[in-house]
Amino acid sequence: MTTSGVVPQARFSAQARLRALQSDIMELILERELEAGDPLPTESELSVALGVGRNTLRESLKVLQALGVIEIRHGFGMFVAPSNFDALADGLTFRGRLSLRHQGLEALQLVDVRQALESGLIGSSMDVMTPEQLASIEEAVKQMEELAAAGENFVAADAEFHRRLFEPLNNELLINLMGVFWKVYRKIHVEIGPGNEDLKKTAAMHRSIYAAVAAGDKVSASELLNRHFDGIRRRIGEAVGD
């Protein structure tokens, strides 16, 4: 960076070239119809195929590894990585926590996205939910109620309740995204402090959601899920001084 605080154009150009190379590598994976776990061509083969030097290639490969696109196993080679949402979780966690230093915008936007997903998809999940799946949701509620009665936090049971709500959809991407959101929320909860949550009241809210689902009341289930996020929204507002 120059003394005037302006990043030289050459640096922007280098970054653009690296991003273009990363895109080229991903396109090569798609064009060759490689699947998760399949080996990639060697560095030498990639250098020739893409027309770039080995050092430049390695920089892009390291970025793609960090993004969870490829997996580098030293001594074995490079492979297409299996589904991995860790990089997404880490990025969203950082952005959410960083936003708490200001207006908390990104943290609140994460709440909005999860709220939209859950309240919007609950009806579809109810359409295909089996009696066994409904019973497993109630088991998660009972666990929360037992822990609340003992004055113990039930973060894991809470996460399991929400996972089981949408398990009937058999949507792996949705379940993975919900897992990402939980990782982010747990970090944000640590950042903003425990708050003064009433555990029994929170457990009762989950019982109400379950009851609406069990009764087949899609409208109430969606409305209750919407209200479920008011608490975290309020706590984020308090943490940033709104």
Side-chain angles (χ1 to χ4, degrees):
M1 185 174 291
T2 64
T3 54
S4 63
V6 177
V7 178
Q9 184 63 38
R11 187 179 302 180
F12 280 125
S13 299
Q15 291 172 349
R17 286 196 298 272
L18 283 174
R19 284 195 295 270
L21 179 55
Q22 291 153 26
S23 295
D24 288 343
I25 295 170
M26 289 188 281
E27 283 299 320
L28 182 145
I29 291 171
L30 294 171
E31 288 171 2
R32 298 194 180 187
E33 299 183 350
L34 301 179
E35 303 287 346
D38 286 347
L40 269 69
T42 64
E43 282 189 3
S44 297
E45 292 168 337
L46 285 174
S47 293
V48 172
L50 299 170
V52 296
R54 295 278 288 273
N55 289 336
T56 301
L57 176 67
R58 284 172 183 163
E59 285 189 62
S60 290
L61 291 172
K62 287 177 182 178
V63 173
L64 291 177
Q65 183 181 34
L67 292 173
V69 174
I70 68 169
E71 184 178 4
I72 300 174
R73 304 175 196 168
H74 296 291
F76 294 93
M78 300 176 293
F79 301 81
V80 180
S83 296
N84 189 328
F85 286 74
D86 289 345
L88 176 61
D90 291 343
L92 290 176
T93 299
F94 172 73
R95 289 297 170 189
R97 293 177 65 192
L98 183 64
S99 75
L100 297 176
R101 274 69 170 172
H102 307 289
Q103 289 79 37
L105 180 60
E106 284 88 351
L108 290 169
Q109 287 174 341
L110 286 169
V111 176
D112 290 342
V113 171
R114 183 179 164 209
Q115 180 182 38
L117 281 173
E118 295 205 23
S119 63
L121 290 173
I122 187 60
S124 297
S125 187
M126 289 166 64
D127 284 339
V128 294
M129 191 175 291
T130 66
E132 292 76 17
Q133 289 168 331
L134 183 62
S136 75
I137 294 169
E138 187 177 22
E139 283 302 314
V141 175
K142 289 178 179 177
Q143 187 178 5
M144 283 187 275
E145 291 170 337
E146 291 170 3
L147 290 169
E152 298 180 26
N153 207 303
F154 46 74
V155 172
D158 194 344
E160 186 63 13
F161 170 85
H162 288 270
R163 188 191 69 79
R164 292 180 185 182
L165 269 184
F166 298 95
E167 189 176 34
L169 292 173
N170 196 29
N171 186 322
E172 185 179 355
L173 176 59
L174 174 63
I175 297 301
N176 277 318
L177 283 175
M178 291 181 68
V180 167
F181 288 137
W182 271 104
K183 288 181 182 179
V184 174
Y185 288 151
R186 292 188 75 165
K187 290 288 187 180
I188 289 177
H189 272 266
V190 170
E191 191 81 12
I192 64 181
N196 56 355
E197 292 181 352
D198 185 327
L199 294 176
K200 291 183 179 179
K201 184 177 179 181
T202 302
M205 168 64 80
H206 288 81
R207 169 64 70 176
S208 297
I209 295 170
Y210 162 76
V213 171
D217 189 342
K218 296 180 182 179
V219 173
S220 292
S222 180
E223 289 177 351
L224 287 166
L225 279 168
N226 266 318
R227 285 164 45 195
H228 177 53
F229 295 96
D230 291 344
I232 180 65
R233 215 178 252 108
R234 182 178 62 253
R235 289 179 60 200
I236 289 173
E238 292 170 353
V240 297
D242 285 351

